[in-house]
Amino acid sequence: MRITVLGSAAGGGFPQWNCNCRNCAGVRSGTVRARPRTQSSIFVRPDEGDDGVLFNASPDILEQIRSNPALQPARALRDSAIAGVVLIDGQVDHATGLFMLRERTKPLPLWCTDPVSEDLSQGNPVLRVLSHYCGVARHAIALDGSAFEVPGVSGLDFRALALTGKAAPYSPHRDDPVAGDNIGITIRDRKSGRSVFYAPGLGAITPPVFDAMASADAVMVDGTFWTDDEMVRLGVGTKRAREIGHLPQSGEGGMIEWLARLPAGTRRMLIHINNTNPILDEDSDEHAALRRADIEPCEDGMTLQL
Ligand code: MLT
Ligand code: MN
Ligand code: ZN
């Protein structure tokens, strides 16, 4: 399969429009060596054919499509390589791009869990709004470990795992999580047998999550924060990483420790990186520590053949 990272930043992107933290100010002025990044999304296609699956629909989707010609194969007057969309949660950074797909000539095939579908029909009624445009052909993602496929994208299958995470602030269960608010997905190429575990929002690594990570050839997991108190310490927020469903990279029980326990050959990547995270500065000690641990921070436009 071929994977394209369309957006590697967390909500807000990098630099974030209203932020003058060291990273955001530094990337704008050129004093910090870092690459700008758009908001969280990947596109996955089999080795053959144009059509693929969009994982998450970022507010930056139009810019992402323009920057990645693979998404516009131009086979017809109206065309797109997006055969279907899979959502891993119902947050603004993953769902807002659905509005931008409203010009489709047929209903948009969309896979999400029941709680996400509810949040996107009530608290933030994107799916109801879209019914006035192209409409949505929604398919429920099961949490029982069964695989699903996206018609038109042959040879790939997808298996969801409920994660410890947070629903969006407009969800009635923001403070009382239910299974399916947030999922990780194992994306598998049936021909080669190779797979990637994708989980841009991952609050805790439970035994089933670790099993899914250890069984994959590559992991693309939550890179939001370096420390639990990153936003508090920088004075840009009051919430701690774990409180909002993101396991920080550093420290005891952090993502770096977990990734070190994976089989030696596993490719380790971080995605959904918040603009405050020091790993974005390519000259930082934290970036160097990641590299020493054989962990790659994803960049927009990065492609992977698995
Ligand atoms: C998150 O991942 O925690 C959310 O997307 C944050 C946000 O965008 O507001
Ligand atoms: Mn997010
Ligand atoms: Zn910032």
Side-chain angles (χ1 to χ4, degrees):
M1 73 180 107
R2 295 165 291 173
I3 303 176
T4 305
V5 174
L6 302 179
S8 52
F14 176 54
Q16 181 174 303
W17 68 280
N18 64 343
C19 190
N20 288 299
C21 72
R22 182 182 178 276
N23 280 346
C24 289
V27 74
R28 273 190 211 103
S29 64
T31 55
V32 165
R33 195 161 66 91
R35 284 160 218 252
R37 286 164 162 88
T38 62
Q39 293 165 82
S40 185
S41 176
I42 64 171
F43 183 66
V44 184
R45 300 178 279 168
D47 289 329
E48 309 288 326
D50 294 323
D51 287 329
V53 180
L54 182 75
F55 286 84
N56 300 317
S58 152
D60 302 316
I61 190 170
L62 298 182
E63 182 189 337
Q64 294 169 343
I65 292 171
R66 283 184 206 112
S67 309
N68 292 279
L71 277 85
Q72 181 43 269
R75 298 161 296 192
L77 182 58
R78 293 293 174 102
D79 196 19
S80 168
I82 301 171
V85 180
V86 174
L87 300 181
I88 67 99
D89 64 31
Q91 302 252 18
V92 165
D93 57 345
H94 287 152
T96 305
L98 294 173
F99 284 128
M100 274 73 232
L101 302 178
R102 69 191 176 286
E103 292 95 353
R104 274 183 62 96
T105 48
K106 289 194 195 126
L108 175 69
L110 177 75
W111 281 258
C112 63
T113 62
D114 288 338
V116 166
S117 176
E118 281 157 28
D119 289 345
L120 295 180
S121 305
Q122 289 158 28
N124 177 12
V126 182
L127 305 186
R128 281 187 11 227
V129 173
L130 279 176
S131 72
H132 300 280
Y133 297 87
C134 59
V136 169
R138 191 246 160 179
H139 306 266
I141 296 183
L143 298 172
D144 59 2
S146 57
F148 64 96
E149 292 176 34
V150 170
V153 181
S154 61
L156 299 187
D157 64 31
F158 314 100
R159 229 172 272 271
L161 184 63
L163 301 179
T164 305
K166 276 280 186 173
Y170 37 80
S171 171
H173 32 90
R174 167 77 168 175
D175 297 313
D176 188 15
V178 304
D181 281 338
N182 192 280
I183 56 172
I185 298 207
T186 298
I187 306 167
R188 186 173 66 116
D189 184 320
R190 277 203 304 273
K191 200 153 118 210
S192 67
R194 292 172 69 79
S195 63
V196 57
F197 179 70
Y198 172 65
L202 179 50
I205 298 185
T206 57
V209 174
F210 188 74
D211 280 353
M213 287 168 67
S215 310
D217 298 284
V219 298
M220 216 177 236
V221 289
D222 194 328
T224 314
F225 299 112
W226 179 255
T227 46
D228 196 45
D229 63 352
E230 186 167 310
M231 295 209 290
V232 182
R233 229 189 310 164
L234 287 170
V236 300
T238 54
K239 297 249 156 65
R240 301 177 77 91
R242 285 185 173 88
E243 249 178 80
I244 56 169
H246 299 292
L247 179 71
Q249 282 110 56
S250 63
E252 212 176 310
M255 189 64 89
I256 295 176
E257 277 192 11
W258 282 105
L259 294 178
R261 294 186 196 130
L262 293 175
T266 311
R267 188 161 172 190
R268 302 150 161 89
M269 290 164 284
L270 297 178
I271 198 159
H272 190 278
I273 306 169
N274 199 55
N275 62 81
T276 49
N277 192 326
I279 64 171
L280 289 170
D281 175 354
E282 291 168 30
D283 297 318
S284 67
D285 293 345
E286 292 85 354
H287 186 91
L290 272 196
R291 291 298 186 175
R292 274 197 306 276
D294 219 4
I295 302 171
E296 306 162 63
C298 285
E299 291 173 8
D300 289 18
M302 174 176 156
T303 60
L304 251 97
Q305 181 103 29
L306 253 192

